[in-house]
Amino acid sequence: MHNWQQLGKFLVVGAVGYAINLAVYATLIHAGLHYLAAAACSFVVAVASNYTWNRLWTFRHQRGHVGAQGARFFVVSLAALGANLVLLQLLITLGTSEVVGQAIAIVLVTPLNFIGNKLWSFRRRKK
C-alpha cells in the first residue's frame, strides 16, 4: 500500500512538473528556441520543482543528505531527459508537433523516472 501511495504522490508532483515543463517549453518554442534546447531548458525548471516537492512530500520519510539526494535525483533526471530527448526527436521525425511530442515523451519516461528515484535517489537507508 505504501508503494501505491508514494506512486500517487509522485504522479501528483509529476503532474505539476509536467504542467510547468510544458508551459516553459511552449513559451520557449513560441519565442523561437529550437525544440531540443527548449526541452532542456524546461527540464531544468521542472526538475527543480519536482525535486523540492518529492523531497518534502513524496519521499519525506526517506530523506537523507540534501546534497547527496539532490545529486542522485539530478542523475536520474538527466537519464530521463536523455530518454525524453530521444523520444521527442523520434516523435517529431514521425510528424508529431513539437508540443504534442514533448507531452507524449514526458509521459513515456515517467516510469523510468519514478523507479530511479524510488530505488536510488530516495532509497531507504539501512538501519
Side-chain angles (χ1 to χ4, degrees):
M1 184 63 174
H2 178 69
N3 287 334
W4 289 108
Q5 289 172 336
Q6 274 188 331
L7 178 60
K9 289 178 178 182
F10 186 84
L11 291 174
V12 169
V13 169
V16 171
Y18 182 75
I20 290 169
N21 191 319
L22 285 180
V24 172
Y25 179 78
T27 300
L28 294 173
I29 288 293
H30 293 299
L33 200 60
H34 186 273
Y35 65 89
L36 292 176
C41 292
S42 63
F43 157 82
V44 171
V45 176
V47 81
S49 171
N50 287 357
Y51 173 69
T52 300
W53 288 110
N54 277 314
R55 181 172 167 76
L56 295 175
W57 186 47
T58 308
F59 300 108
R60 74 174 181 258
H61 299 296
Q62 295 167 235
R63 276 194 248 170
H65 185 270
V66 68
Q69 280 187 335
R72 288 191 303 263
F73 186 88
F74 192 70
V75 168
V76 170
S77 296
L78 282 177
L81 174 63
N84 175 282
L85 293 176
V86 168
L87 289 169
L88 178 59
Q89 180 66 53
L90 176 65
L91 290 166
I92 289 174
T93 300
L94 294 173
T96 306
S97 75
E98 294 166 343
V99 174
V100 171
Q102 176 69 336
I104 293 168
I106 292 169
V107 169
L108 292 176
V109 300
T110 295
L112 167 72
N113 204 357
F114 176 72
I115 291 168
N117 282 306
K118 177 160 180 58
L119 297 180
W120 190 50
S121 303
F122 295 102
R123 72 177 178 256
R124 291 185 188 269
R125 292 180 180 204
K126 295 183 180 184
K127 294 180 182 182

